[in-house]
Structure formats: structure tokens, C-alpha cells
Amino acid sequence: MTTANEGVSTGANFDAEGMKRRIAPTGGVNGDARRQYEELDEKKSQRPNYVSQQPGTSILTYLDDYEIVLAPLVFTFLAFFTRMYKIGQSNIVTWDEAHFGKFGSHYLKREFYFDVHPPLGKMLVGLSGLLAGYNGSFEFKSGETYPEELNYTFMRIFNAAFGALCVPVAYFTARELNFRRPTVWLVTMMVLFENSYATISRFILLDSMLLFFTLTTVLCWAMFHRLQHDSFSLEWWIALALTGGSIGCVCSVKWVGLFCTALVGIYTVEDLWNKFGDLSIPKVKYAQHVVARVFGLIVVPLLVYMFSFWLHFIILENSGPGDAQMSSLFQANLKGTEVGKDSPLEIAYGSRATLKNMGYGGGLLHSHVQTYPEGSTQQQITCYHHKDANNDWFFYPNRGEPDYDAEGPLRYVGDKQVIRLIHAQTGRNLHSHTVSAPVSKSDYEVSCYGNVTIGDDKDHWIVEVVRDAASNDWTQIRTLTTAFRLKHTSLGCYLRAGNVNLPQWGFKQIEVTCTKKNHPRDVYTHWNVEHHVNERLPAGDPGSYKSPFLRDFLHLNVAMMTSNNALVPDPDKQDDLASQFWQWPILHVGLRMCGWDDHIIKYFLLGNPVVYWGSTASLGVFGLLLIWYIVRWQRGYDELKPYEIDHIHYSGLYPVIGWFLHYMPFVAMARVTYVHHYYPALFFAILSFGFVSDHFSRPLSTKAQWAVYFVLYALVIGVFALFSPISFGMVGSSSQWKHLKWFDAWRVTD
């Protein structure tokens, strides 16, 4: 049986001398564990894996000595070739270039827009357009031909560079995980010659950037782990900072990066827990470890993430199509906006106004002639993010006060006043009653009912001012600056618009309810006047008040989350491009990226079958291997040395955890999914395949090992070459490639 000290993982230094022989010591280039593996190989008459021990002048010796330089250069050259060969051949807007190219245009025109993804990747798309001399005028309509003045080829090359750089990053990651040279090459080739990676990197998309920063995060984490027993050295701090920076970057491209963050977080918790159990570590030093990780792995990523949004707000200074997702005060400070423009500052009876919900991602109070299909069957009330005449409301006095007189003295609306809100387009009153809301059943339904003369006290709402950015005088509510709540006089509930979407009969707009819970800090019960028209009042300048960055940052992120959650499959529509999670690991389906007419250059998003099936199988093989060693360990077998246990733990188990974290959320989430959602998980499966092949080939002789690996190399390269037309572009009739349609679901041909 192995002793307790032999089986302990990172940081549990019960035997200080024994731990010096662990996987990440202070000396050596790649750690004692790597040297112990090399010594083990030498006993089998194998050459050292990474550095030649005998100086020589022969070409083979030279190549062996400088493999760490030459191999990445060769792989990188091939990577740029596979990602950029014929990259400008198709001159039409392909697949999601219609989205991300358009977002890049907004940066060049400095127009504010809204999207469910963080801004870093799209800012880089905008940068590629700027470097290409593009002025942002093209609309990027799907299938449309690029104009001659737009250098779309350069923009694609810019994106493809991120995909190409994934290859050398994969090479160094495999080295950091202590894989032997043949395995390092295999892992690198599986990334290099993966058809789906090569295809998706060729277009103006975010996926190549997402993959690149995912891979750099794993590389930096592996470097940091190697330096665990050289804590607080300069190299250790650099690895920690780079890990945090990579986490920040990958999360700033897409929120899928949070899964990579979770992997590093699991490692950090385990590492600190083991150090906590190491009584030889002083309490002060342990506290330093905690603080360093909080700074490097929480503060640094958060600063990088926030910095991308700060740049986003700085660049997009003009009013654009995404204004309505932001707060009214934010919109009022955009150049060219109509929000608050010439709006009188104070609100009076008779004023025509739009009311903006101040919750994160909140919309404008809205109604339309459609009615609820159940409940009261009265006119629907929703929140809507787009400018529309159905967002307009009149402020009127309650029925117990004198009627509104357009010629009489002005009467202002202020705190604690009881008012009515009348929908401008239909003339009906904002109303609530004891009928349950259609989705949030614990709340009351809000509807439009009656008219100016017909109604009751259930049309009455009390104004409760929360704050005012312009004044401490709450006797008058003001455009943009006053936050207020609306309390129903009869029911005591508050008008609320949460992040709940109505079904299709409500056009997927946000549900508005009257909540029974009185939480003054619930921002979803806070409202402000966004636009205001009253010819009897002088124009004001409410836009002179600034919206704080942190509030805008939080507001936009919650709006992104809300919109992302709303991306669910529509049962009334068929999406031929969508796929399900179970189809990805077995390569059951591909994706047509463009039209399939004979005159169109066609691209089919499909992986390399050898890479996909091999990597998926390796996940199961590793699980069986782990069970095998656990059972044998329980039975008292002492066949694994401490460094071998660590190697299985960090180079085998953690890639599987990474795959699980990147794959399983798509099993649970309800949103519509596509094949490219699997690509980050695929990299971890490739690392798992590398570990399994490395582990099982160790007992073989040198010649047998290389024979096995050359077969694997040939399979990966050969199948990539066979399927290369789907990546480089299929010209002419798709029937030419019917030999690539191995399964009916692979719609390479009709």
C-alpha cells in the first residue's frame, strides 16, 4: 500500500523531503516529475524526451536539442496555412458574420448596440475592420456579396490568426502537462488538423478568439501548477497574473469562459485546502497564498472584464440600435439621442411620457390592443425595449380630484400623490386587480381597463419617490433623474417588471405584474420618466446628469443575461442549424454555414472523425482507468509512485473535469444550441486522449511507441486531408463530395 504521504496531492506537505520529488519542484525546466519520467524511460533504453544529454554535431542531435523551438515553429506555420488557405475565396457574408461583422461596424461608427455576449471579441472585430480601412457602412446581411471597398479578407485573416495561434499554445500546454514528446506532437496535431477548428477560424466570428483564450488559460494554469513549490518567485507571480488575465479575456469574449474559470477555481480550492492541512506552512504564509490567489484569480480577471466594458462605453458614444437596453440617464448622455431631448424637467398632469423600468435589462412600460388569453382577458401590459408609440402614457389626476383641465393652472406630480396613467394609443387606464398574473402567479395581473371616464379606484397609483439625481426636493418628479415606485391604492402592491418573459401570445415581451412584496430596494419596482412632452412646460436639459459606470456595467450585464436566457427554441419554428448536446461528442451532425446552391462556395462545419471519436472514447477509457487504480489501491497494490499519482491527477483528471464543465451546462440549459458550442469542450477531450495514449504507450519499446504514434499521426492528418474541402470551400455541385457523407445527418450533399 502507498503511505498517506505518498498519496497526498498538491500542497499537503506532510513529508517535506518527499514532496521535493513531486510534480512541480523549484528546480529544472519542467519539474522533478518530468525528470523522474525521463529517468524511468532511460531504464528502458529510451532517449531523453526533451533535451539531449550528449552534445553532438549531427543533424538529428541538433534537431533533438532544439525541438522545443523548431517543432512549435513548424506547427505554427502549418496552422497559419490550414486556417488561411483560400480564406478570401468566398466573397459573401457567411453564417454569423452577419452578426459579428455588423457589431464591428457599430464600433467603427461608434454607435451603441446591444448583444448577449461581452464586448472584447467584437471590439477586436472592429479593430480588424479599422486596420482594413473599413468605414463601417456595410450592413453585413447574410448571403450578401461584400463590396469591393471592404477588405473582408484581411478581417478574416485577423480572426484566423487567433485560431492559428491555438496550435502552439496546445503544444506548450501538452509539455506543461508532462506528456512525452510523441504525445505532445499528437495533441498539437489533433488541434492543428481538426477540421471544425480550421473551418470556424476562417470567418469573422468570435469562436477563434474564445478558443485561443481558453487554451491560454489552460496553459497558464499548467505553468502555475508547475511552479507550486517555487511560490512567490517572479515566474510564479507572472504565471498567476497571466492565468488571471487569460480568465478575464476568455470571459470578456463569451460567458462560456466562466466554465474555464470554474476549472481554475476547483484547482485553487483543492490547492488551498491541501496547504491548509500542511502544518509546516506558517499561518502568515498561508494567508499570503490566499491573498495572492484572490488578487490574481479574482481581482485581475474582474478588472480585465470591467476594462473591456469601460472601453465599450468609451468607444460607443453615439446613439444606436441598442440604446433601449440601458438606463434612461445613460441614453440621455449618448450623442444624437432623442431620450430626454427638449423634454421638460418637471412632470405635470397632462404630460405625455414614457416610463422606463430601472431594473437591470428593464424596458419601457407598454400596452397594445391584444388581450390576455386567460385571467381577466383585458388588454395586455408588458415591458418593451424598442421605441414605439404604444409606450406613451398620460399623467392624469385620480378620480377623487378635479378633472384635468388643459387650460387650467399647471398641477405637478410629486411624492405621495395619487395618479392615473392613461395609455395614449388606446385611452385605457393602467389597472390591477386580484386576478393572478399569467406567469408569476404569486403576483397580481396588471392590465389596461376602462377609459378617461369609465373606471374605478383600481386605476389609482401612489407615487413613492426613491431618489432624485438632480434634487432633494421630491415635491415634483423629474424626467430621467427621479426614481419612483407606483403603489396600487386598493391592493397595496407595487408595479413590477422582472426578467420574466411572456409566452408567444405576449410576443415574448417582459411580464409586468403588481407584486405583493414591499422591497424598497427592488430595482424592478423602480421607474423613471424617459421621454416627456408637455407644450405648456419649458424644455429642460436632464441629460446633463451622468450615469455612474458601475451602475451601467451591472445594468448591461443583467440585460445580457436576461436576453441570453430568452434564447430558447421556438416550437413554432424549425431551426435546421440547431443541434442537441448528445450529437456533439459522437459527431452525429454538422452544420451548413451558407447556401448550398452550385454557384456558392460551400462550407460545412464538421469535425475530424478521428479527433472526435478518439477524444470521446478517451473520456470513457480514462474513467475505467481511474476505477481500475482505485480498486487496486483499495486491494493493497503499490504500483503507482507519488509522481505518477500526481500525473494522473493533474494531467489526466483535470482535463476530464474541464470537459465536464464545458459540456454538461449545455445538457441542462434550455437555450438553442449549435455544434460550435462543443468546441471548447473538445480541446479538453483532446488533452484526455493525449493522456490516455501517453499512459498506455509507456510500457512499449521506443520503436513500438513511435510506430503507434505514427499511425495516429497518419490517421489524423489523412482524415483531415480527406475532409479538407469542407474547410477550404467546396466549389461547384455538392454531389462531388458525396463520399464525405458517411451518415445521413452529415448533410454535405442533398
Side-chain angles (χ1 to χ4, degrees):
M1 288 284 290
T2 55
T3 65
N5 288 341
E6 288 174 329
V8 171
S9 57
T10 308
N13 192 10
F14 292 110
D15 180 0
E17 289 302 317
M19 288 304 298
K20 290 179 181 178
R21 298 188 298 274
R22 300 301 294 276
I23 197 167
T26 58
V29 176
N30 292 298
D32 283 347
R34 177 171 292 160
R35 287 202 301 271
Q36 289 182 8
Y37 274 128
E38 290 174 355
E39 291 168 3
L40 187 64
D41 289 342
E42 286 172 8
K43 294 178 182 179
K44 302 171 187 175
S45 302
Q46 297 185 28
R47 288 183 56 83
N49 293 309
Y50 294 102
V51 180
S52 176
Q53 302 297 318
Q54 299 295 330
T57 57
S58 70
I59 294 177
L60 291 178
T61 302
Y62 177 84
L63 293 176
D64 187 64
D65 288 343
Y66 291 94
E67 184 271 344
I68 191 174
V69 176
L70 297 175
L73 289 176
V74 172
F75 286 132
T76 303
F77 172 80
L78 292 173
F80 275 89
F81 174 79
T82 57
R83 272 59 177 172
M84 297 182 184
Y85 177 62
K86 295 183 178 181
I87 195 169
Q89 181 177 217
S90 175
N91 64 344
I92 65 171
V93 179
T94 302
W95 197 39
D96 278 353
E97 286 186 330
H99 298 300
F100 301 114
K102 181 172 59 180
F103 295 146
S105 297
H106 288 311
Y107 284 107
L108 295 173
K109 292 186 290 185
R110 308 191 71 173
E111 294 176 342
F112 193 83
Y113 73 93
F114 175 77
D115 181 46
V116 297
H117 301 302
L120 178 60
K122 293 165 293 185
M123 281 194 287
L124 290 172
V125 171
L127 176 61
S128 72
L130 179 66
L131 295 175
Y134 170 49
N135 61 9
S137 60
F138 185 58
E139 295 185 7
F140 281 90
K141 293 182 179 179
S142 183
E144 189 171 323
T145 301
Y146 283 108
E148 292 184 4
E149 63 272 15
L150 174 53
N151 190 356
Y152 67 92
T153 301
F154 179 87
M155 296 180 69
R156 287 177 176 175
I157 288 173
F158 184 92
N159 265 51
F162 287 93
L165 291 174
C166 288
V167 173
V169 174
Y171 171 88
F172 288 108
T173 301
R175 282 181 56 90
E176 290 294 336
L177 292 176
N178 290 340
F179 293 154
R180 292 172 301 123
R181 180 182 298 171
T183 309
V184 171
W185 291 4
L186 177 61
V187 168
T188 308
M189 288 185 191
M190 291 178 77
V191 175
L192 169 60
F193 296 112
E194 167 48 41
N195 293 83
S196 61
Y197 285 177
T199 306
I200 206 162
S201 297
R202 303 168 66 82
F203 298 100
I204 305 170
L205 307 171
L206 302 186
D207 299 273
S208 59
M209 303 172 193
L210 175 67
L211 285 170
F212 174 74
F213 289 121
T214 298
L215 267 65
T216 58
T217 300
V218 178
L219 171 60
C220 295
W221 160 75
M223 291 170 57
F224 180 69
H225 172 67
R226 171 172 59 84
L227 296 164
Q228 62 181 292
H229 290 298
D230 199 11
S231 300
F232 306 110
S233 66
L234 178 61
E235 191 178 1
W236 184 89
W237 278 110
I238 292 173
L240 178 62
L242 288 176
T243 304
S246 293
I247 290 173
C249 288
V250 71
C251 291
S252 299
V253 174
K254 284 187 177 183
W255 279 348
V256 173
L258 291 172
F259 305 146
C260 214
T261 307
L263 176 67
V264 178
I266 291 171
Y267 168 81
T268 303
V269 169
E270 180 196 3
D271 182 36
L272 290 176
W273 177 251
N274 289 328
K275 284 181 170 58
F276 181 73
D278 184 357
L279 301 182
S280 68
I281 298 178
K283 294 179 181 178
V284 173
K285 188 172 183 180
Y286 181 78
Q288 291 172 343
H289 276 287
V290 173
V291 171
R293 284 158 177 78
V294 169
F295 173 77
L297 303 178
I298 297 178
V299 175
V300 170
L302 185 59
L303 289 176
V304 171
Y305 185 74
M306 293 178 68
F307 180 69
S308 71
F309 280 88
W310 182 78
L311 284 178
H312 179 72
F313 292 145
I314 291 294
I315 296 171
L316 304 182
E317 62 179 4
N318 299 320
S319 176
D323 295 4
Q325 291 286 351
M326 299 301 293
S327 69
S328 302
L329 201 55
F330 177 89
Q331 296 180 56
N333 285 280
L334 293 172
K335 295 179 181 178
T337 185
E338 294 297 323
V339 174
K341 183 180 180 181
D342 300 327
S343 291
L345 194 60
E346 292 83 10
I347 310 298
Y349 288 128
S351 290
R352 180 172 180 153
T354 58
L355 274 65
K356 171 83 170 179
N357 184 265
M358 300 184 72
Y360 304 117
L364 295 162
L365 189 66
H366 177 92
S367 187
H368 38 239
V369 296
Q370 285 79 9
T371 59
Y372 291 111
E374 55 186 24
S376 69
T377 68
Q378 294 174 3
Q379 188 171 303
Q380 295 176 17
I381 294 289
T382 66
C383 256
Y384 190 52
H385 286 109
H386 300 282
K387 309 298 182 185
D388 189 318
N390 280 325
N391 301 332
D392 292 350
W393 299 83
F394 284 109
F395 280 84
Y396 262 60
N398 66 69
R399 299 187 187 280
E401 294 182 358
D403 291 339
Y404 167 66
D405 182 2
E407 304 297 330
L410 286 168
R411 289 186 288 167
Y412 292 97
V413 178
D415 188 34
K416 307 304 182 187
Q417 285 189 245
V418 179
I419 65 167
R420 280 187 296 156
L421 288 170
I422 299 179
H423 189 238
Q425 293 296 305
T426 60
R428 299 190 181 278
N429 302 288
L430 185 69
H431 179 91
S432 188
H433 37 225
T434 54
V435 177
S436 295
V439 180
S440 305
K441 297 296 184 181
S442 60
D443 294 346
Y444 294 128
E445 178 192 88
V446 178
S447 64
C448 260
Y449 172 74
N451 53 41
V452 176
T453 57
I454 298 175
D456 52 32
D457 59 358
K458 291 181 181 179
D459 304 331
H460 293 166
W461 302 85
I462 303 172
V463 176
E464 294 185 358
V465 174
V466 178
R467 62 181 178 277
D468 195 318
S471 174
N472 292 324
D473 179 11
W474 293 359
T475 58
Q476 298 174 349
I477 64 173
R478 297 170 177 80
T479 305
L480 297 177
T481 64
T482 305
F484 57 89
R485 307 169 81 204
L486 291 172
K487 180 180 180 180
H488 197 267
T489 56
S490 299
L491 304 177
C493 56
Y494 287 86
L495 190 70
R496 188 178 193 274
N499 287 326
V500 177
N501 294 90
L502 291 170
Q504 191 61 48
W505 54 257
F507 309 103
K508 297 294 182 77
Q509 295 173 13
I510 296 175
E511 180 190 38
V512 175
T513 65
C514 200
T515 180
K516 305 169 188 175
K517 300 175 182 177
N518 180 13
H519 296 310
R521 293 187 179 181
D522 180 6
V523 292
Y524 295 101
T525 63
H526 296 182
W527 302 83
N528 67 264
V529 174
E530 181 171 283
H531 186 69
H532 172 207
V533 176
N534 192 323
E535 295 178 354
R536 301 179 65 190
L537 293 171
D541 185 23
S544 60
Y545 301 97
K546 302 297 181 183
S547 180
F549 166 74
L550 283 178
R551 184 176 297 168
D552 295 335
F553 169 76
L554 292 173
H555 190 108
L556 181 54
N557 274 268
V558 176
M560 289 158 50
M561 186 183 305
T562 304
S563 297
N564 206 359
N565 292 338
L567 295 176
V568 295
D570 189 340
D572 299 327
K573 296 180 181 179
Q574 180 178 347
D575 189 347
D576 292 332
L577 301 181
S579 56
Q580 295 181 324
F581 67 90
W582 64 267
Q583 297 175 297
W584 307 335
I586 60 175
L587 200 62
H588 180 265
V589 69
L591 184 149
R592 291 183 176 182
M593 300 185 72
C594 55
W596 227 243
D597 295 338
D598 290 350
H599 69 279
I600 295 176
I601 299 173
K602 295 166 281 294
Y603 297 89
F604 192 69
L605 202 53
L606 184 73
N608 185 320
V610 173
V611 175
Y612 263 74
W613 295 336
S615 62
T616 300
S618 72
L619 298 169
V621 171
F622 178 81
L624 294 175
L625 181 69
L626 197 62
I627 294 172
W628 168 263
Y629 281 125
I630 290 174
V631 170
R632 289 179 65 81
W633 173 79
Q634 184 66 22
R635 294 289 296 167
Y637 288 92
D638 188 15
E639 57 191 322
L640 292 177
K641 301 297 187 290
Y643 62 84
E644 292 177 307
I645 295 174
D646 267 1
H647 186 63
I648 294 172
H649 187 178
Y650 295 103
S651 301
L653 180 60
Y654 267 91
V656 174
I657 294 174
W659 176 86
F660 184 87
L661 291 172
H662 283 78
Y663 177 67
M664 294 308 294
F666 290 101
V667 176
M669 66 176 58
R671 65 155 290 170
V672 61
T673 53
Y674 302 94
V675 292
H676 68 285
H677 289 143
Y678 184 67
Y679 293 168
L682 176 61
F683 173 67
F684 291 96
I686 289 173
L687 292 179
S688 176
F689 185 86
F691 173 84
V692 169
S693 61
D694 189 85
H695 181 84
F696 284 104
S697 64
R698 279 190 184 277
L700 302 177
S701 66
T702 303
K703 290 183 179 180
Q705 285 185 32
W706 281 107
V708 170
Y709 276 99
F710 271 113
V711 170
L712 293 174
Y713 300 157
L715 284 172
V716 171
I717 297 171
V719 174
F720 171 81
L722 176 65
F723 282 86
S724 61
I726 69 173
S727 299
F728 298 150
M730 296 179 284
V731 182
S733 173
S734 61
S735 61
Q736 302 173 65
W737 293 277
K738 60 183 179 181
H739 61 282
L740 300 180
K741 189 176 181 180
W742 292 3
F743 304 98
D744 290 339
W746 294 7
R747 298 175 59 238
V748 178
T749 62
D750 293 322

